[in-house]
Amino acid sequence: MKAMILKEFRELRRDRRTMAMLIILPIVLLTIFGYAANFTVDSIPTRVIGPGAEQVAANAPDLFDIGEVDTDATTDDALTWMQDNDTEVVIDTTTQPPTAYIDGASLFTAQSASAAFGRMGDQVQVDILYNPDLDTSWVMVPALIGLILTFIGTIITSIGLVKERQTGTLEQLAVMPLKPADVIVGKIAPYFLLASFDMLVVTLLGVWIFDVPFNGNPWLFALGAGIFLFVVLGLGVLISTASQTQAQAIQLAIMMLLPQILLSGFIFPLDAMPTAIAAIGRCLPLTYFVEIAQGIFLRGAGIEALWLPYVVLTGMALFVFTAAVLRFRRDLAPSAHHRAKAKAA
Amino acid sequence: MTEPLIRATGVTRRFGDFTAVDDVSLTVGPGEIVGLLGANGAGKTTLIRMILGLLPPTEGALALFGEPPSREGRARLGYVPQGLGLWDDLTVAENLAFVDEAFRSRATAVPDALADSRDRLVGGIGLGRQRQLAFAAALGHGPELLVLDEPTSGVDPLSRARLWDTVHDSADAGVGVLVTTHYMQEAEQCDRLVLMSQGVAVAEGQLGDITGGTTALAVRTDRWQDAFAALDDAGVLVMLSGTHVRAVDADEERVRAALGGLAATLEPVTPTLEEAMVARERTAG
């Protein structure tokens, strides 16, 4: 038995990926997610408008981080800011008593804000926008679509591609007179279509079963999902080029999936994370998709409000997908690559 | 003279400090069957991957149909890799249809021997049948060159004979064939052989040229275990086939001396390919 245990340790020590999963991953998970796992929001971006703005701003509880005090702004301005996600809360003093508009799409922020206003009694009337009952599923379902696309894009795609490498058929494809572009597109297109189909099904189920409202433009949403799919499929291809076996691909995909689940603002609010951890979250594609999906579903936001996540996702898609195609191409047509290099030299 | 289908000149491939193929030259002409012999790890598959253009050589020049290996060149050859390169989750007919489509060739008929497996998944049919299918797929587009990496390993003798019939039919029709093997019977079927050992082409020519220079003595005795141990201890290259002991590249005097007083009759025999290969390996090493 001792020999068996020793042998197992020797093997494990040489299997760097498994070692990483066993030692580094728990430490990273604990430190990063320990900080990130925080449902309590202690600072809510807030604007105050109307004639009594100055006075309300001065007396607002510390929880509300008053960014802008505008005595001239109107209720319409307030609603536009809310839809554009410029702020989480607007206290409107043009009404009597003042009205606090809260963004119900930011679930935990909205819960904290509405509890704080509740403690103030009749001094403020509360209007929770976009998700008046603070229904968890309304916030979760749009974000879940992103998670499902990530799952299909990275895990399923990388497994499919690595299988081809593992069984030796990738080499056969390389020997056939197929253009690398044909192989890459032919290999990825089915996953793109399947993921698109899944997205449609999950969206429809979310709307029918969970009564999640779809207030925005479906085409804008489809565009965002399409761009996001390019990012995650690209990640899947990249994982496959770095893996020799399906087990390795799954390990790598899980390492990419976990931070996206926990740091994308989908479970824990980014606003409640320390700046450094939130900054990691801001580097993850799912963060931007969640912003797009919740914005379109719940707030009915348009491109003028969501251009930033679209631009960031497009940049990520171009970068990741190009890197993935180049690496995959190198596996398929090494001679062409070599000749090009020789020519350049 | 027409340009050979494959011309490798002084080809070397290194992986870091390890030299997998070292200064190997080789040609394959139309209608010619060239056998690449060598033990596992001799560099045969690496050489084939370079010829196909899947791996750039570190040094040396390679020409496939007179040009550097390219997609256009690969379209003119049929390749059966060691792993067969078939899609297990597709049926026999679907595999052939995909290959036809990729080569833009007319539909390849499912071979008669596979007719009853036509709609079965490739992963579920036997290895012999899979090899037949891999051959059919490689030949479907009428290639001018066949590259076969260990094409018959794990196949029963009858199926092997059938596969070789196919190879000869192709060669008779002018197709050049490069085949790796470590079977004697297969080496006998080649027009020319190149023996590789530790990345180097150590011998070239016909079977006689490869085995020539190697001698073998059959050592007949009832105490074959003792004979084997005694020869081995004395540093004689000794092979065992069942209970038959054979001493390779050692003269009678040396064998007698190694055997000591052990009673045995010695008889010169023709060395097998395996014996020649091991003897060459030992010399090269």
Side-chain angles (χ1 to χ4, degrees):
Chain A
M1 190 173 73
K2 189 179 147 209
M4 188 72 205
I5 292 171
L6 269 176
K7 168 209 143 277
E8 204 58 35
F9 269 121
R10 282 199 178 115
E11 279 187 331
L12 274 174
R13 195 173 46 141
R14 287 180 187 130
D15 183 353
R16 287 194 195 149
R17 284 165 208 258
T18 305
M19 279 303 273
M21 281 201 88
L22 277 172
I23 295 172
I24 301 169
L25 203 63
I27 296 171
V28 172
L29 283 177
L30 190 71
T31 47
I32 294 187
F33 304 137
Y35 285 117
N38 184 8
F39 293 117
T40 319
V41 181
D42 44 23
S43 171
I44 301 174
T46 305
R47 293 182 184 183
V48 191
I49 62 162
E54 304 273 4
Q55 193 197 344
V56 168
N59 296 322
D62 287 346
L63 174 68
F64 298 100
D65 174 19
I66 312 286
E68 194 173 325
V69 179
D70 189 340
T71 48
D72 297 332
T74 62
T75 305
D76 282 348
D77 291 333
L79 294 176
T80 310
W81 293 337
M82 294 298 286
Q83 194 183 29
D84 290 356
N85 205 22
D86 289 336
T87 184
E88 301 288 354
V89 169
V90 178
I91 304 173
D92 179 0
T93 62
T94 59
T95 59
Q96 213 30 263
T99 307
Y101 295 107
I102 301 175
D103 180 2
S106 306
L107 194 64
F108 297 107
T109 308
Q111 281 171 346
S112 301
S114 98
F117 287 124
R119 285 193 290 274
M120 294 166 74
D122 295 338
Q123 294 176 45
V124 182
Q125 53 179 333
V126 173
D127 186 356
I128 300 175
L129 304 174
Y130 319 123
N131 184 8
D133 297 331
L134 291 178
D135 201 327
T136 310
S137 63
W138 283 26
V139 177
M140 280 293 186
V141 167
L144 264 175
I145 295 170
L147 190 64
I148 290 165
L149 295 187
T150 308
F151 184 79
I152 296 177
T154 52
I155 298 193
I156 312 282
T157 308
S158 59
I159 289 178
L161 286 172
V162 171
K163 186 180 168 199
E164 198 99 46
R165 182 193 308 274
Q166 223 176 338
T167 54
T169 44
L170 191 66
E171 180 169 299
Q172 193 69 351
L173 290 175
V175 174
M176 287 176 171
L178 297 166
K179 289 186 189 137
D182 292 344
V183 176
I184 296 167
V185 173
K187 201 62 210 174
I188 294 174
Y191 296 105
F192 191 91
L193 292 173
L194 285 173
S196 304
F197 176 74
D198 274 346
M199 179 199 74
L200 193 68
V201 170
V202 178
T203 305
L204 293 176
L205 285 180
V207 172
W208 284 336
I209 299 177
F210 297 103
D211 289 327
V212 181
F214 193 102
N215 293 322
N217 180 341
W219 296 112
L220 187 63
F221 178 67
L223 175 70
I227 299 170
F228 180 66
L229 254 185
F230 268 104
V231 182
V232 290
L233 284 173
L235 285 176
V237 178
L238 273 182
I239 289 172
S240 79
T241 60
S243 311
Q244 293 302 320
T245 64
Q246 297 189 20
Q248 286 177 358
I250 293 173
Q251 279 185 351
L252 273 178
I254 287 175
M255 286 191 206
M256 292 222 175
L257 206 61
L258 263 179
Q260 307 229 50
I261 293 174
L262 294 168
L263 299 181
S264 61
F266 150 53
I267 297 177
F268 305 111
L270 280 173
D271 291 338
M273 293 177 198
T275 321
I277 308 291
I280 301 176
R282 291 266 162 227
C283 299
L284 304 173
L286 187 59
T287 306
Y288 297 94
F289 181 78
V290 168
E291 241 174 79
I292 290 174
Q294 291 180 341
I296 294 178
F297 265 77
L298 302 178
R299 293 198 306 275
I303 189 72
E304 58 292 345
L306 292 172
W307 65 270
L308 185 65
Y310 274 90
V311 169
V312 175
L313 270 188
T314 307
M316 286 181 171
L318 284 174
F319 178 75
V320 172
F321 208 74
T322 309
V325 167
L326 287 179
R327 273 195 67 120
F328 192 64
R329 200 191 141 86
R330 198 187 59 179
D331 288 355
L332 270 179
S335 265
H337 176 77
H338 183 72
R339 275 203 304 278
K341 226 167 55 178
K343 222 181 229 175
Chain B
M1 190 188 144
T2 52
E3 178 67 24
L5 307 175
I6 296 173
R7 179 191 292 280
T9 318
V11 170
T12 297
R13 174 69 207 197
R14 292 190 198 93
F15 297 99
D17 292 340
F18 175 69
T19 305
V21 173
D22 191 358
D23 194 20
V24 172
S25 298
L26 168 104
T27 58
V28 179
E32 194 179 25
I33 303 177
V34 177
L36 204 50
L37 307 175
N40 290 334
K44 304 180 304 255
T45 300
T46 305
L47 180 61
I48 283 192
R49 287 175 56 81
M50 286 193 283
I51 290 169
L52 293 173
L54 297 176
L55 195 66
T58 316
E59 276 166 38
L62 270 168
L64 188 60
F65 303 108
E67 304 273 334
S70 66
R71 193 163 61 241
E72 291 73 27
R74 288 194 289 265
R76 294 163 63 186
L77 63 82
Y79 172 47
V80 180
Q82 246 180 68
L84 297 182
L86 298 170
W87 284 268
D88 285 355
D89 293 331
L90 296 184
T91 65
V92 167
E94 285 166 347
N95 262 281
L96 286 177
F98 174 66
V99 176
D100 288 339
E101 193 83 20
F103 281 91
R104 297 180 190 283
S105 58
R106 59 188 169 74
T108 306
V110 174
D112 291 343
L114 294 173
D116 55 343
S117 304
R118 182 191 160 83
D119 296 318
R120 286 181 62 189
L121 295 183
V122 165
I125 64 173
L127 186 61
R129 287 173 163 237
Q130 288 185 358
R131 290 211 179 268
Q132 280 175 323
L133 175 61
F135 264 68
L139 287 165
H141 60 287
E144 297 157 61
L145 172 68
L146 268 180
V147 178
L148 312 170
D149 197 359
E150 308 275 349
T152 62
S153 64
V155 168
D156 65 84
L158 189 65
S159 304
R160 184 178 301 161
R162 273 206 209 115
L163 291 174
W164 271 96
D165 284 346
T166 314
V167 173
H168 282 295
D169 290 347
S170 300
D172 291 346
V175 176
V177 182
L178 177 65
V179 53
T180 72
T181 181
H182 42 231
Y183 291 118
M184 176 71 167
Q185 298 94 322
E186 295 193 347
E188 279 172 347
Q189 312 223 29
C190 298
D191 300 323
R192 207 148 47 76
L193 297 166
V194 175
L195 174 62
M196 286 184 75
S197 170
Q198 293 165 32
V200 181
V202 288
E204 199 177 337
Q206 295 188 318
L207 189 57
D209 302 319
I210 302 283
T211 54
T214 304
T215 59
L217 278 174
V219 181
R220 299 210 168 83
T221 169
D222 294 336
R223 292 167 54 196
W224 59 271
Q225 291 105 324
D226 297 335
F228 185 91
L231 288 166
D232 196 37
D233 288 346
V236 172
L237 175 54
V238 56
M239 311 283 277
L240 196 61
S241 165
T243 57
H244 297 286
V245 177
R246 292 163 69 105
V248 182
D249 270 355
D251 56 28
E252 260 193 72
E253 202 179 332
R254 188 168 166 220
V255 171
R256 286 270 177 230
L259 289 173
L262 202 146
T265 55
L266 304 183
E267 186 193 342
V269 287
T270 313
T272 65
L273 178 63
E274 191 192 359
E275 285 163 352
M277 277 164 59
V278 175
R280 295 268 187 184
E281 288 252 351
R282 184 177 261 211
T283 318

